[in-house]
Amino acid sequence: MNSFISRDASVDDVINVEELMNNPDIALISDDISTREELAKAINKYVMLSRRDKRFSDYYSVQLYGANVYNMFLLMKDRLKSDFPSIIGETVLVSEPDLYYNKDAFDDGRVNLCFVMGYSGSGKSVLTREYEGEGIEKVELDDIVCVKDHYTMEQLKEMGVLLHSFFEGVGSKYYISREERTDTVNRGEVFVEFIKYAIDYAEHHKDSKFILEGIWTYLYFDDPSLFNDYAVFMKGTSLIKSKLRRIKRESVNGAEKTVNKILEFGIYMNDSMMYDKNVDIWRHHFEKMPGTVQKTEDNRRTEIRQNIMSEIYDINDAFVHGDKAAIEAIKKRIGDSKDITLTERNIINEECRRALADME
């Protein structure tokens, strides 16, 4: 228990709201926030808190508003969505539905160029898996940087005519190795030039289909309306979730590389937050376009998430009041339950372990 609440056996908790709101170690999102700028400031404060202080914040949020801080952010974001401009960098923190624009047109051949966008680790390859083996030329934009280190011109030719023709022709100056790359070169120029080339190439090769996969399209093109004539698929997975997913995926390469990826995460996130306003601009543009289909989590996943959040509320309640026995009781109840999935059990047990560790 801490100084913001007082407990008496005969009465409910009494929260000193004024003191709570003024405390630098607590971050809340109230239901009277009136601008998206206020909302962005509040969620950014929460993200920077320690795990211990996040637990206190989530506990008080549930007591005052009936939802934890993250869910209050989603609620207020939706409430303000139609009235205020986009929060800069909201996709860094929050996962959104996947967007499919002009998918039917791409599938039936009316459109022959598709841009697939999302953070590294967001699941772009899974999203386009249905097109494997259909004779569609797919280019991962990450591969076109310092391409000479990875592919010979003959290998590029085997990979596809689009890539090979670019580096053999107008993009020959970008066929370089890392050692040949200089600080004076605009490092984003290759993406811009290749995407422009691909658009022109697809226009003159209507009998072929092309997929360009990578985040670079919406980082280097500010105006999404320039892509209205093509198919655009956007993964909604947030930057944080995507990068953690990638770190986990690459952890099989050993501890040293995993540590390097974690360090890279901090650099990459800071860099991405400078440019990710474009991600939000693109999403809000295509969300409103006719022909866009949004794909959200299936109902079972939503149910599992709600079950987990319910248990985490109880864990945070016990944590705030210093009740180790209650957390141990949750662990035992979850361990004995036959009605939950292995995923739920593992996540809740891990939350219990962390809560007990934070109480030490």
Side-chain angles (χ1 to χ4, degrees):
M1 195 183 324
N2 65 20
S3 60
F4 302 121
I5 60 174
S6 60
R7 166 162 285 188
D8 184 275
S10 60
V11 297
D12 293 333
D13 291 349
V14 177
I15 300 176
N16 186 332
V17 178
E18 182 177 355
E19 186 178 353
L20 191 64
M21 291 296 189
N22 292 329
N23 189 277
D25 297 325
I26 299 294
L28 297 176
I29 294 177
S30 70
D31 54 7
D32 61 0
I33 283 181
S34 58
T35 71
R36 292 176 70 85
E37 289 74 18
E38 289 181 80
L39 186 58
K41 183 177 180 181
I43 193 64
N44 287 336
K45 179 182 177 183
Y46 175 80
V47 168
M48 299 303 294
L49 293 178
S50 68
R51 190 172 68 194
R52 178 181 182 278
D53 290 335
K54 283 189 178 77
R55 290 191 186 280
F56 280 107
S57 298
D58 282 331
Y59 168 80
Y60 295 129
S61 182
V62 171
Q63 296 299 308
L64 292 171
Y65 309 113
N68 66 2
V69 176
Y70 175 79
N71 285 334
M72 282 299 295
F73 172 75
L74 295 180
L75 175 65
M76 296 306 298
K77 182 173 76 75
D78 287 341
R79 185 179 296 178
L80 299 173
K81 196 168 189 175
S82 60
D83 299 323
F84 294 93
S86 169
I87 296 176
I88 301 303
E90 66 184 39
T91 51
V92 171
L93 306 169
V94 180
S95 292
E96 304 265 15
D98 296 340
L99 300 182
Y100 296 82
Y101 171 70
N102 268 349
K103 185 178 188 301
D104 289 343
F106 184 69
D107 289 347
D108 64 26
R110 285 174 289 144
V111 170
N112 71 330
L113 179 58
C114 178
F115 294 89
V116 179
M117 309 175 201
Y119 298 110
S120 177
S122 64
K124 297 186 296 296
S125 297
V126 175
L127 186 147
T128 58
R129 188 169 292 165
E130 66 178 285
Y131 298 106
E132 292 180 0
E134 290 193 11
I136 298 175
E137 185 170 346
K138 180 178 173 182
V139 177
E140 295 188 15
L141 294 178
D142 287 348
D143 288 343
I144 70 175
V145 179
C146 301
V147 69
K148 193 175 180 180
D149 285 330
H150 309 293
Y151 305 106
T152 65
M153 288 300 295
E154 190 62 30
Q155 288 173 322
L156 288 177
K157 190 174 184 179
E158 293 173 0
M159 292 168 65
V161 292
L162 174 58
L163 266 179
H164 180 261
S165 63
F166 174 74
F167 285 107
E168 187 180 50
V170 297
S172 59
K173 65 179 178 179
Y174 300 113
Y175 186 69
I176 58 174
S177 66
R178 189 176 299 277
E179 290 181 354
E180 295 172 306
R181 195 179 189 187
T182 67
D183 290 336
T184 58
V185 175
N186 178 352
R187 298 194 175 197
E189 186 179 340
V190 62
F191 298 116
V192 175
E193 293 302 316
F194 179 75
I195 289 168
K196 288 180 177 179
Y197 178 83
I199 289 173
D200 182 70
Y201 191 93
E203 178 66 26
H204 289 88
H205 295 80
K206 292 290 190 181
D207 293 336
S208 301
K209 284 185 176 182
F210 307 91
I211 293 177
L212 271 57
E213 177 185 308
I215 190 175
W216 309 106
T217 306
Y218 52 37
L219 290 190
Y220 287 104
F221 288 85
D222 295 331
D223 184 2
S225 67
L226 297 175
F227 295 77
N228 286 353
D229 293 334
Y230 314 109
V232 176
F233 301 168
M234 298 182 67
K235 286 296 296 182
T237 312
S238 69
L239 172 60
I240 289 177
K241 187 173 181 179
S242 297
K243 291 301 291 182
L244 292 178
R245 197 182 275 173
R246 183 182 176 191
I247 289 170
K248 181 179 180 181
R249 183 178 66 202
E250 297 183 356
S251 64
V252 295
N253 295 322
E256 183 177 351
K257 288 188 177 181
T258 301
V259 171
N260 289 338
K261 287 298 177 185
I262 293 172
L263 295 175
E264 174 202 316
F265 179 26
I267 298 171
Y268 180 85
M269 181 172 176
N270 288 335
D271 187 53
S272 294
M273 289 182 74
M274 294 174 62
Y275 299 102
D276 276 358
K277 63 184 180 186
N278 283 8
V279 180
D280 300 322
I281 291 170
W282 276 68
R283 284 197 63 86
H284 292 310
H285 173 77
F286 284 107
E287 280 175 345
K288 301 172 183 177
M289 290 289 287
T292 295
V293 176
Q294 300 190 35
K295 183 178 179 182
T296 57
E297 292 179 314
D298 58 67
N299 292 335
R300 179 56 184 148
R301 289 183 63 185
T302 301
E303 180 185 347
I304 290 174
R305 184 176 63 185
Q306 290 172 341
N307 291 342
I308 291 171
M309 291 308 302
S310 177
E311 296 293 344
I312 290 176
Y313 291 157
D314 291 340
I315 293 170
N316 287 341
D317 182 278
F319 175 83
V320 167
H321 294 97
D323 194 343
K324 292 183 179 181
I327 296 177
E328 293 288 358
I330 293 172
K331 283 183 64 177
K332 184 177 187 311
R333 173 167 53 78
I334 292 301
D336 294 340
S337 176
K338 308 293 185 183
D339 300 324
I340 67 171
T341 67
L342 180 62
T343 298
E344 291 174 274
R345 180 176 288 108
N346 289 341
I347 292 175
I348 295 166
N349 279 334
E350 179 63 12
E351 281 297 314
C352 288
R353 184 192 67 77
R354 290 177 178 179
L356 290 170
D358 290 341
M359 292 172 73
E360 297 298 331

